[in-house]
Amino acid sequence: MKEKIKIASGQGFWGDLIEAPYWQVINGDVDYLVMDYLAEVTMSILQKQKNKNPKLGYAKDIPELMRRILPVCKEKNIKVITNGGGVNPIACAEAVLEVSKNIGIKDLKIGVVLGDNILDNVETIISSGCELNNMESNESINIIKDKLLSANVYFGAEPIVDALKLGADIVITGRTTDTGLTLAPMIYEFNWDMDNYDLMSLGTIAGHILECGAQSTGGNFLGNWESVENFAQIGFPIAEAYPNGDVIITKHKNLGGKVSFDTVAEQLLYEIGNPKDYITPDCVADFSSVELEDLGDNRVLMKNVKGFPPTKFYKVSCSYFYGYSAVGSLTYSWPKALTKAKRADQILRERLKNLGLTFEEIRTEFVGLNSCHGPLVKIPNEDEINEIMLRVAVRSKDYNSVERFGREIAPLILTGPPSVTGFAGGRPKPAEVVAYWPALIPKVLVKPEVKILS
Amino acid sequence: MKIKLIDIAHGRSGDKGDSANVGIIAYNKEGYEIIKKYLTAEKVKSYFEGICLGEVERFELPNLLALNFILHNTLGGGGTISLKLDAQGKTLAAALLRMELVVNQ
């Protein structure tokens, strides 16, 4: 057994810093590179791409990234784990194999985790008695069943561990929990018993620290952010894990960023609910138990995590077509910038009403004044305001209303208050609104499947 | 005595559906005792009047010198439905840090 392993985070979401995973593998020794590509909406986007072309439906950045990092990974024996397979992990693996062939890398084994995509089985699942009720509203999925765009089960670390046991150099999954990507190599390398819930929770919490990339190493740090050095080449987090369950969060020395009690604590609190009840397929982790110790030199030790058995359910993430939205903006300058923007908003709303358009919501914000903090903002003396961006957003089930809204913004320039600018982007186009439907499914109804491609 | 929250704490916020989570972390133990005593769920709820339209839940994490608040019905429908510029509540931690606490010495 290895005395320790280093797991490097390479991506916090699809669209994150493209250089980051490359930096992680070239700037020091790591054993694993883990990359989270999937947000809730991402699955529906990928599903649409797959519907148009059955060879797509995964994070398209992956093959190009692999072309860059595979030679280094092969040389240094770094394994890669990612959920960027999206709704088509097989196609993703095939694309990576193609790339590896082109650059002369042989004997590559890719483990693919399948079985999370239940879009085609929803009827069967409902008829077996699982209503896939919305976890928040408790409504039955029947009301949106015809509009479903994607439906995926969140698997945990287990199928990734299985793929590693089968000798995979790369593991590509569909909808796996972000935390499972980091927990899996710890289980695999240290032979951790998956019934040891304290260890499962430790690895899960380490995964939570890694899953948003540089958000634990100084990015988006609301503490003393100006003390963070070299944002331009910010180092993504690395979890240095030990068999006894100690984990040190750190980063490569020669990259920028900062790892301290404060930067790690902020990420621990990110998007959590009840800290004693962080539910994953692998365990229920208690975030209020973890002990953090700042060791200095960009190293933070975490230990003594308490955990509990997982529930009998997997979470299901569904997305469905909801309607349309559009956002338009214009900028008004001094004098009386705010008064002008408010007047333009009134005129716009009157015109939309006169046209008989229907909207679920029309939302007006004044960017530069109060779009972030709304009613909490003390409005300054108007003479001190140099400019205001009027931002109006609409949402409707009716495409034509949203489309017409887009044609009512530019006319305000010549038919409303003066000293207005900022319409270079053209008419706002209606965007499809895809809504999210969280549900639970008994674990006995779905089974992850692991395939090895080589 | 008045204390500006931003002088004794930092934090991070994000979304959970239509709810926002706002984590507030004290810089030291004294600061944690102050936020634990004075930064109540009721105070946060009334502070975010007009933004948070639902209940506010509070959880304690003494290990991180932190409190976690869940602000229900806050993000204009949440996720992709929300029309807000800050649809994910990313700036709400900063908003809360602007609060002043009246502290008995």
Side-chain angles (χ1 to χ4, degrees):
Chain A
M1 192 193 298
K2 287 180 184 150
E3 155 201 335
K4 68 176 177 191
I5 54 167
K6 290 186 184 178
I7 304 164
S9 155
Q11 204 73 168
F13 66 101
W14 189 8
D16 205 353
L17 201 64
I18 290 169
E19 295 304 303
Y22 182 66
W23 291 345
Q24 288 292 59
V25 298
I26 63 162
N27 279 293
D29 289 331
V30 298
D31 302 287
Y32 287 86
L33 177 70
V34 296
M35 292 180 290
D36 171 32
Y37 281 95
L38 302 182
E40 281 148 6
V41 248
T42 317
M43 299 307 277
S44 64
I45 298 168
L46 293 173
Q47 188 67 50
K48 272 188 206 165
Q49 293 176 356
K50 189 185 173 189
N51 293 346
K52 280 185 199 151
N53 180 346
K55 289 223 164 287
L56 294 180
Y58 57 88
K60 274 182 287 187
D61 299 358
I62 291 179
E64 169 60 18
L65 171 67
M66 290 299 179
R67 193 186 58 75
R68 286 180 79 191
I69 66 171
L70 270 182
V72 188
C73 292
K74 201 76 189 164
E75 183 201 323
K76 294 185 171 181
N77 195 22
I78 301 169
K79 292 179 192 279
V80 181
I81 304 174
T82 178
N83 59 14
V87 296
N88 206 350
I90 290 275
C92 183
E94 284 169 350
V96 173
L97 282 175
E98 183 67 26
V99 162
S100 70
K101 209 168 71 183
N102 291 343
I103 57 175
I105 288 180
K106 288 175 197 146
D107 312 326
L108 191 68
K109 272 176 133 178
I110 303 184
V112 181
V113 176
L114 302 164
D116 63 297
N117 194 342
I118 57 165
L119 184 61
D120 296 333
N121 320 344
V122 167
E123 287 289 352
T124 328
I125 289 164
I126 295 173
S127 60
S128 76
C130 172
E131 292 278 308
L132 295 170
N133 286 356
N134 188 303
M135 281 169 74
E136 282 149 22
S137 66
N138 210 31
E139 293 164 301
S140 161
I141 201 165
N142 283 312
I143 60 172
I144 54 118
K145 204 176 56 187
D146 302 337
K147 298 178 210 157
L148 273 179
L149 297 170
S150 68
N152 295 78
V153 175
Y154 281 80
F155 289 139
E158 199 167 5
I160 302 173
V161 174
D162 291 343
L164 292 171
K165 281 181 182 164
L166 291 169
D169 305 297
I170 298 174
V171 183
I172 296 174
T173 78
R175 186 63 273 196
T176 302
T177 56
D178 312 343
T179 54
L181 306 177
T182 298
L183 170 61
M186 298 186 194
I187 297 171
Y188 168 69
E189 293 282 356
F190 303 143
N191 285 318
W192 282 355
D193 178 356
M194 290 196 71
D195 291 335
N196 185 329
Y197 301 116
D198 290 347
L199 288 176
M200 293 305 105
S201 295
L202 189 284
T204 295
I205 294 179
H208 184 88
I209 293 170
L210 261 55
E211 74 180 43
C212 294
Q215 247 200 164
S216 55
T217 54
N220 192 25
F221 175 46
L222 189 49
N224 186 9
W225 68 269
E226 285 170 290
S227 70
V228 177
E229 287 173 13
N230 194 5
F231 272 115
Q233 287 173 290
I234 193 163
F236 276 43
I238 295 169
E240 195 178 292
Y242 294 81
N244 70 348
D246 287 356
V247 170
I248 293 170
I249 304 297
T250 186
K251 65 173 189 72
H252 284 314
K253 279 190 166 47
N254 52 339
L255 293 175
K258 177 175 185 151
V259 184
S260 69
F261 181 100
D262 292 346
T263 65
V264 173
E266 277 195 23
Q267 178 54 23
L268 279 171
L269 285 163
Y270 184 62
E271 288 182 349
I272 64 164
N274 181 346
K276 289 184 186 298
D277 199 24
Y278 186 91
I279 302 171
T280 75
D282 307 301
C283 61
V284 175
D286 180 359
F287 277 52
S288 69
S289 66
V290 56
E291 285 174 34
L292 288 189
E293 187 186 338
D294 196 326
L295 306 174
D297 204 17
N298 291 304
R299 291 168 71 79
V300 172
L301 169 67
M302 51 174 287
K303 59 180 183 182
N304 288 342
V305 172
K306 288 276 161 282
F308 303 92
T311 72
K312 291 190 161 45
F313 297 91
Y314 285 122
K315 192 176 170 186
V316 182
S317 158
C318 305
S319 64
Y320 64 99
F321 173 72
Y322 185 92
Y324 301 92
S325 69
V327 183
S329 63
L330 290 172
T331 298
Y332 292 86
S333 91
W334 184 94
K336 292 197 174 179
L338 182 57
T339 304
K340 289 170 187 166
K342 282 184 173 168
R343 192 63 206 281
D345 179 48
Q346 282 167 6
I347 298 164
L348 174 65
R349 283 171 181 259
E350 200 176 323
R351 287 178 184 162
L352 297 176
K353 197 176 157 203
N354 292 343
L355 287 165
L357 307 179
T358 53
F359 299 102
E360 271 184 4
E361 188 186 352
I362 304 174
R363 183 177 175 87
T364 303
E365 293 177 331
F366 302 106
V367 180
L369 182 80
N370 64 358
S371 60
C372 291
H373 299 158
L376 301 181
V377 177
K378 216 169 16 174
I379 308 292
N381 178 334
E382 199 173 3
D383 203 46
E384 290 166 22
I385 299 173
N386 189 65
E387 63 213 33
I388 291 287
M389 182 192 275
L390 168 68
R391 176 186 187 272
V392 184
V394 298
R395 184 182 65 244
S396 177
K397 302 267 201 255
D398 176 38
Y399 176 88
N400 291 330
S401 292
V402 176
E403 197 275 337
R404 182 58 193 259
F405 161 82
R407 290 192 278 157
E408 292 297 321
I409 304 295
L412 283 164
I413 297 172
L414 303 188
T415 64
S419 43
V420 54
T421 185
F423 197 71
R427 286 174 177 160
K429 299 265 185 308
E432 285 189 6
V433 176
V434 172
Y436 171 60
W437 184 278
L440 294 174
I441 189 169
K443 282 181 175 168
V444 291
L445 288 185
V446 266
K447 217 176 151 43
E449 188 192 334
V450 177
K451 270 192 184 159
I452 298 286
L453 303 189
S454 56
Chain B
M1 183 174 79
K2 275 189 179 174
I3 291 179
K4 287 182 184 154
L5 196 48
I6 196 162
D7 290 337
I8 62 166
H10 59 115
R12 177 164 293 174
S13 53
D15 66 324
K16 288 193 77 67
D18 194 24
S19 304
N21 106 292
V22 181
I24 297 294
I25 307 159
Y27 283 114
N28 56 41
K29 283 195 174 114
E30 295 73 41
Y32 179 66
E33 291 308 319
I34 291 172
I35 60 172
K36 190 176 147 189
K37 186 168 174 191
Y38 294 99
L39 194 58
T40 60
E42 296 71 38
K43 213 170 263 178
V44 171
K45 164 76 184 157
S46 68
Y47 182 79
F48 280 112
E49 194 187 342
I51 294 179
C52 173
L53 309 178
E55 294 306 305
V56 171
E57 288 182 274
R58 184 182 104 150
F59 301 98
E60 296 175 5
L61 296 97
N63 54 327
L64 303 178
L65 307 176
L67 300 173
N68 187 38
F69 296 92
I70 307 297
L71 281 54
H72 293 276
N73 194 0
T74 294
L75 299 176
T80 51
I81 290 185
S82 176
L83 298 179
K84 291 189 167 194
L85 180 67
D86 188 12
Q88 293 169 307
K90 299 263 188 193
T91 67
L92 293 179
L96 185 52
L97 288 179
R98 215 180 217 172
M99 185 195 253
E100 281 188 343
L101 293 172
V102 180
V103 173
N104 295 325
Q105 277 181 311

